[in-house]
Amino acid sequence: MARAYDVVDIEKKWQRRWADEGTYEVDADDPRPPWYVLTMYPYPSGPAHMGHVRNYTFGDLLVRHRTMLGYAVLSPFGFDSFGLPAENAAIKTGTHPRIFTDARIVELKESITSLGAVYDWRREIHSHDPEYIKWNQVIFQKLLADDLAYRANAPVNWCPGCQTVLANEQVLADGSCERSGDLVIKRDLEQWFFRITKYADELLAGLDDLDWPDRVKTMQRNWIGRSEGAEYDLVVEGRDGSDGRPALALTVFTTRPDTSFGMTYAVIAAEHPLVDELTTPGQGPEVEELRARAAASTDIERMSEDRAGDLTKRGAFTGSNVINPFTGQPVPVYVADYVLMGYGTGAIMAVPAEDTRDWDFAHAYGLPIVRTVQPPAGWDESGGPDGGPGGAYTGPGEKINSEWLNGLDIPTAKARAVEWLESKGIGRPKVNFRLRDWLVSRQRFWGCPIPIVYCPTHGIVAVPEDQLPVLAPDDVEFLPTGESPLATSDKFRLTTCPTCGGPATRETDTMDTFVDSSWYFLRFTDPWTPDKPFDPEKARHWMPVRQYIGGIEHAILHLLYARFYTKALVDVGLAPEGLREPFARLFTQGMIRMDGKKMSKSKGNMIAPSTYFTTVGADALRLFHLFAGPPADDVDWTSQTDSVIDGCGRFLDRVWRLAVPSDDVIPEQRSGEMTVEDLSIRQATHRLIDRVSRDYERWSYNTAVAACMEFVNVVQPYARAGGHAEVVADAVDTLLLLLAPMTPHLAAEAWEHRHGDHIHERQWPLSDPTLAVEVTVTLVVQVNGKVRDRIEVDPAIGEVEAEHLALASSRVVEDLAGAAPRRVISRPPRLVNIVV
RNA sequence: GCCCGGGUGGCGGAAUGGCAGACGCGAUGGACUCAAAAUCCAUUGUCCGAAAGGGCGUGCGGGUUCGAGUCCCGCCCCGGGCACCA
């Protein structure tokens, strides 16, 4: 599409100007109030895609708008530059990940600049910069010193085909490796963890005060998964210690201690340490088979066997019984794969009557069922698949079959049961979390090395700060071997102990890249300090981020880790006291979809933004993204989208011709006394300020754009018909100021033509309240809720006056045909409804 | 299965309980032009009607209200998240 002005030249010109003049560089001593806006720093994957464009358009608009409102806006940019694609490329092509990554950064930076997005580039950081690696490692040491980092054995995802450990993200939904397609298995390895669970309660409570989308908060709450209940011991039958053998008990966790009288069996996880001890010789083969199956299968497989599957393959009797302390009766202990070692105690008391999973299992194994809550009338006892409500009953009700709990409601019974357990010394109240500690070890090359040395005499030794950063050597073998590529480099691995100087080996794992992104926003506040990750005073000045922008895909991991890290950094003394939450406000934009699928490289349905930069221009593309619909909604990229983008370009052309007219288009304009029409344009101008300002505040950019379009539809004919020069000038200038954050190049160039100075250094326009009010409004007259007439009235019209006007309407008189209205609802100045 | 979103013209989407469909795309007609592009003007939910005008209409069924796209109850469909968490 041919545009009315030289889009490419003008856009390049202003992009250079903003950079050269440092328009958006700010420092902490700036007298203006601080306002920190941040768009999630991207993984550098090459030129920007449409998702980036959408993301950075919203961010840039905010930067420019807030600046015009008089804030010192901190708008930094950086790259989440460690990660797998670079390493995979290295395996494939032999190119060093740094070379690969640096090239991708140049490309992405170029397209972000072409979009017209502005940043304080002095603050640019890359996760793979030695400086950043150093501070990442310093923080790791601090966490280690405060026992927030620790080493433990843990199962990891192992791909037999690639002979390597995989990140969870690399394991597909069906449990296979994303690269080789082999089935991923679990392997136990020594790994590093961060103690995020220490903050579980605070991470949960902190959500309440955050101005975040509810859906993200809900996802985090579910992820943290706090549940209150009790833990208690089940003595193994015949192992109470009375016969001289040591006593043996199984500890179980339950959220329903009130149902204990209904416990008819117990279950332990296949990986539970007591499995061997509990299994009697006769049951050995059966238990062993189940165990083997559980070990070989992924979690995904366990689930896919599911309820419809063959339940009889999911458990095995151990041959042992435990005593239900409430009834004193023995119940059998099963091993089953529906109980997970990783949660609670890895063992449960099973109450089939009040738990659906236990119900299904009990049915498959012919175990007894005892109800302890009275189900409502009509509850189907058999719980048949095609019947109505039935089976396990988990709702509220009166306790039954429970001796001293009978007649109580569930909450009271829970409390009584816990009191009883405590008084007997066999149980206690217990809160469990679904949240696990954060496993940060990655058997990968392209990440931040974990700065640890293993010494035969001193064990785990932190590399001292003056020897940081620990950097990976360049000459390593990338081919997958099953260990971190760093382990193949003796030059790297073999070292001396910092404590005793004796021979020692380095940790060869690197950190999860989510570690890098857990504090980069803090580094941005002060990327220059030489002796610490950042100056806490600088962080105090800018933090928290007033508006954080990013994709919903980070709703849990990144956003939870960053919250944890911020709290941990405060506690180890690196971040300012009192800072608890990093992101005060979060916005998650919708994604771009094509044919119903997410637009992504792997799906091969990418639309390159660069093709638009060189044709309709960045402004038109930005306007499209703003105009397409509510920012939080997904955008469908269809065959019609190009037409809509052209439409945005057409609108900008109209603005251009209005703002920078050539003599043959706009006739001579009047001056002097103003007419009624002049005044109405003037009023429309001030109403536009109000409307657009309000829409900016509520993130309703599509309606803000619509308002501007409507305005041009009115002003253009007015100007062409020779409007009042002053009124036209005011209208056009206002329009440009309101558009400046959305379509910055056009606004800047047109403004320069008109005034010679820089529009983005101007203040956001303020409306004159006396002009912004509406002069007349349309009073709608209804009879029985149906519109019968419209009357132009003074907005200050009273209730009675409006009623009189309505009743006097000829249309109403005709409709009433002499009948008296039963009732008149008068809601001046918009509506009168006459009921007959 | 559970938890969130969301269903409005041919399409994207507007609408503090008060004129449903703003704005844009597309389409149709017109002006300009030798012609086209660009630009400008007009029409564009649907049905009845020559018109004036009127009926119907926001996934379905009820309800509250003078008045419901909007609030309440019960469904249907679509999208997303979580999914043996005891």
Side-chain angles (χ1 to χ4, degrees):
Chain A
M1 175 188 156
R3 296 287 312 273
Y5 56 100
D6 193 335
V7 170
V8 176
D9 262 20
I10 285 173
E11 293 191 346
K12 280 277 158 284
K13 165 187 162 182
W14 284 98
Q15 285 155 19
R16 261 195 303 275
R17 284 268 302 266
W18 295 320
D20 293 348
E21 294 176 12
T23 314
Y24 291 92
E25 292 173 4
V26 292
D27 292 296
D29 59 6
D30 196 300
R32 295 172 294 175
W35 216 88
Y36 188 178
V37 55
L38 185 63
T39 307
M40 289 178 185
Y41 80 152
Y43 177 80
S45 54
H49 54 69
M50 274 304 163
H52 288 129
V53 165
R54 190 168 172 75
N55 222 348
Y56 296 116
T57 295
F58 293 129
D60 187 57
L61 175 145
L62 225 54
V63 172
R64 295 175 183 275
H65 179 226
R66 285 284 150 183
T67 301
M68 290 176 82
L69 284 172
Y71 292 91
V73 179
L74 177 62
S75 166
F77 203 94
F79 297 91
D80 187 13
S81 50
F82 272 137
L84 281 166
E87 194 164 340
N88 289 341
I91 294 169
K92 223 176 276 169
T93 68
T95 316
H96 192 280
R98 184 183 307 105
I99 303 199
F100 179 86
T101 301
D102 287 343
R104 302 289 84 76
I105 287 177
V106 170
E107 290 167 347
L108 183 49
K109 205 169 159 180
E110 208 277 321
S111 45
I112 292 296
T113 304
S114 298
L115 180 64
V118 286
Y119 301 95
D120 183 348
W121 284 106
R122 300 171 307 161
R123 296 173 186 267
E124 178 176 358
I125 54 181
H126 306 153
S127 313
H128 75 292
D129 285 343
E131 273 288 285
Y132 198 77
I133 291 173
K134 175 177 172 177
W135 299 122
N136 235 346
Q137 293 174 339
V138 167
I139 292 170
F140 184 95
Q141 313 291 36
K142 294 267 188 198
L143 296 179
L144 181 63
D146 277 23
D147 194 38
L148 288 169
Y150 66 95
R151 192 164 161 80
N153 212 292
V156 295
N157 302 306
W158 171 264
C159 172
C162 304
Q163 284 285 298
T164 187
V165 170
L166 303 177
N168 288 331
E169 301 78 38
Q170 293 174 278
V171 183
L172 300 180
D174 63 356
S176 67
C177 168
E178 67 164 0
R179 259 176 359 126
S180 72
D182 287 289
L183 204 60
V184 174
I185 60 168
K186 292 279 180 200
R187 259 195 162 188
D188 283 342
L189 287 177
E190 284 277 304
Q191 307 276 303
W192 284 95
F193 289 86
F194 284 160
R195 214 178 285 284
I196 189 172
T197 53
K198 185 182 169 189
Y199 294 87
D201 268 319
E202 205 191 326
L203 287 167
L204 193 62
L207 287 171
D208 295 341
D209 303 323
L210 294 178
D211 188 2
W212 285 19
D214 283 338
R215 129 178 118 121
V216 176
K217 293 208 262 188
T218 304
M219 282 164 81
Q220 292 215 349
R221 281 192 192 102
N222 292 342
W223 186 263
I224 295 167
R226 184 180 198 273
S227 52
E228 277 179 36
E231 207 173 71
Y232 63 90
D233 304 327
L234 302 175
V235 173
V236 178
E237 190 180 30
R239 293 294 301 274
D240 59 4
S242 58
D243 60 356
R245 282 197 297 166
L248 184 62
L250 190 63
T251 307
V252 294
F253 172 73
T254 179
T255 55
R256 292 293 302 275
D258 63 292
T259 62
S260 297
F261 283 97
M263 179 206 320
T264 53
Y265 63 100
V267 185
I268 58 174
E271 305 87 355
H272 198 284
L274 291 183
V275 172
D276 285 333
E277 201 151 357
L278 289 172
T279 305
T280 57
Q283 295 301 112
E286 208 182 309
V287 168
E288 214 34 64
E289 197 199 320
L290 180 99
R291 243 177 170 181
R293 211 169 32 240
S297 67
T298 61
D299 290 351
I300 306 290
E301 277 186 320
R302 283 194 185 187
M303 279 183 276
S304 63
E305 278 175 31
D306 216 354
R307 297 177 170 79
D310 188 359
L311 280 160
T312 56
K313 279 191 178 164
R314 303 196 53 200
F317 178 45
T318 59
S320 295
N321 293 322
V322 289
I323 307 298
N324 178 342
F326 288 79
T327 62
Q329 296 303 308
V331 296
V333 180
Y334 279 73
V335 182
D337 65 0
Y338 81 94
V339 171
L340 308 174
M341 194 57 227
Y343 185 77
T345 61
I348 62 160
M349 45 78 107
V351 184
E354 276 100 30
D355 182 287
T356 52
R357 296 154 300 182
D358 296 345
W359 173 279
D360 293 343
F361 191 84
H363 266 269
Y365 288 84
L367 292 157
I369 295 168
V370 177
R371 292 210 183 267
T372 74
V373 179
Q374 181 60 54
W379 194 261
D380 175 11
E381 284 302 315
S382 67
D386 41 34
Y393 177 69
T394 55
E398 188 185 320
K399 297 303 301 181
I400 54 171
N401 299 327
S402 299
E403 299 180 18
W404 39 272
L405 291 176
N406 283 343
L408 299 175
D409 62 18
I410 293 169
T412 313
K414 272 188 190 178
R416 290 280 167 81
V418 176
E419 279 165 31
W420 183 84
L421 285 165
E422 280 190 287
S423 72
K424 295 276 176 190
I426 54 173
R428 57 219 71 91
K430 171 83 180 172
V431 175
N432 254 327
F433 291 93
R434 213 185 79 109
L435 182 72
R436 315 292 161 76
D437 275 339
W438 176 13
L439 196 168
V440 296
S441 299
R442 293 293 181 272
Q443 292 72 31
R444 285 285 164 182
F445 171 79
W446 193 234
C448 177
I450 294 174
I452 293 294
V453 166
Y454 300 102
C455 169
T457 42
H458 294 94
I460 295 172
V461 182
V463 177
E465 188 169 331
D466 60 13
Q467 291 171 34
L468 296 179
V470 173
L471 296 176
D474 280 354
D475 52 339
V476 300
E477 182 59 61
F478 288 107
L479 291 177
T481 61
E483 279 184 297
S484 163
L486 287 176
T488 65
S489 169
D490 282 347
K491 193 170 82 182
F492 178 80
R493 197 171 58 87
L494 303 177
T495 184
T496 53
C497 169
T499 307
C500 64
T505 56
R506 282 190 194 282
E507 167 67 64
T508 56
D509 285 352
T510 54
M511 295 183 212
D512 181 0
T513 55
F514 276 117
V515 176
D516 312 331
S517 54
S518 288
W519 67 283
Y520 77 104
F521 43 88
L522 287 161
R523 177 74 181 166
F524 272 146
T525 64
D526 180 34
W528 302 291
T529 300
D531 58 344
K532 43 185 179 279
F534 50 88
D535 178 354
E537 282 314 306
K538 294 279 175 19
R540 191 197 302 282
H541 180 74
W542 294 109
M543 291 292 287
V545 174
R546 291 287 291 271
Q547 180 67 61
Y548 198 37
I549 302 167
I552 187 76
E553 65 273 20
H554 294 111
I556 297 174
L557 295 182
H558 163 58
L559 290 167
L560 193 65
Y561 293 150
R563 294 181 61 219
F564 154 64
Y565 230 59
T566 301
K567 294 170 195 299
L569 288 177
V570 173
D571 291 349
V572 301
L574 290 173
E577 210 53 52
L579 176 69
R580 296 315 287 186
E581 291 288 344
F583 315 123
R585 196 151 185 247
L586 172 71
F587 176 77
T588 53
Q589 85 281 4
M591 48 177 203
I592 316 279
R593 288 185 315 193
M594 212 175 183
D595 309 320
K597 292 188 293 280
K598 185 182 172 179
M599 196 187 263
S600 77
K601 222 182 226 173
S602 58
K603 295 195 177 68
N605 57 357
M606 301 287 285
I607 301 285
S610 59
T611 60
Y612 296 93
F613 295 155
T614 52
T615 52
V616 288
D619 279 341
L621 187 59
R622 288 167 67 116
L623 197 65
F624 163 75
H625 280 286
L626 295 169
F627 187 55
D633 288 7
D634 288 348
V635 175
D636 278 309
W637 204 274
T638 69
S639 56
Q640 293 185 30
T641 301
D642 278 351
S643 304
V644 181
I645 296 172
D646 285 347
C648 291
R650 260 197 302 276
F651 167 70
L652 295 178
D653 285 344
R654 298 177 77 193
V655 173
W656 176 262
R657 284 191 291 262
L658 193 56
V660 189
S662 44
D663 300 338
D664 53 322
V665 182
I666 306 272
E668 194 81 7
Q669 288 173 342
R670 288 174 291 107
S671 57
E673 200 94 334
M674 286 196 198
T675 65
V676 174
E677 195 195 7
D678 298 338
L679 185 65
S680 84
I681 296 293
R682 199 153 230 180
Q683 286 160 338
T685 304
H686 286 260
R687 275 202 303 277
L688 182 71
I689 296 173
D690 282 354
R691 237 176 116 180
V692 173
S693 299
R694 206 192 67 222
D695 284 348
Y696 266 79
E697 293 301 332
R698 61 183 190 127
W699 285 68
S700 180
Y701 304 119
N702 53 334
T703 53
V705 174
C708 291
M709 288 173 166
E710 256 178 274
F711 185 67
V712 169
N713 289 344
V714 172
V715 173
Q716 189 186 44
Y718 168 79
R720 293 218 166 148
H724 194 287
E726 228 176 276
V727 173
V728 172
D730 189 36
V732 173
D733 285 343
T734 300
L735 178 69
L736 290 176
L737 287 165
L738 297 176
L739 286 174
M742 301 199 265
T743 56
H745 312 87
L746 164 94
E749 182 69 13
W751 187 271
E752 194 185 40
H753 271 273
R754 297 167 65 82
H755 301 285
D757 66 337
H758 198 158
I759 192 170
H760 292 103
E761 286 165 5
R762 289 290 186 120
Q763 288 294 302
W764 190 251
L766 280 174
S767 69
D768 179 341
T770 61
L771 286 170
V773 295
E774 293 184 270
V775 225
T776 63
V777 288
T778 308
L779 176 78
V780 171
V781 182
Q782 296 180 333
V783 175
N784 286 337
K786 290 190 189 303
V787 181
R788 284 295 174 261
D789 204 358
R790 300 183 173 87
I791 308 168
E792 288 301 308
V793 298
D794 186 307
I797 191 170
E799 213 169 291
V800 178
E801 201 183 336
E803 186 177 329
H804 281 315
L805 268 176
L807 288 170
S809 155
S810 57
R811 284 297 326 274
V812 171
V813 171
E814 198 180 304
D815 244 54
L816 290 181
R822 278 202 297 146
R823 197 175 157 189
V824 179
I825 288 104
S826 184
R827 293 278 177 278
R830 300 278 172 199
L831 179 128
V832 173
N833 187 14
I834 299 157
V835 187
V836 289

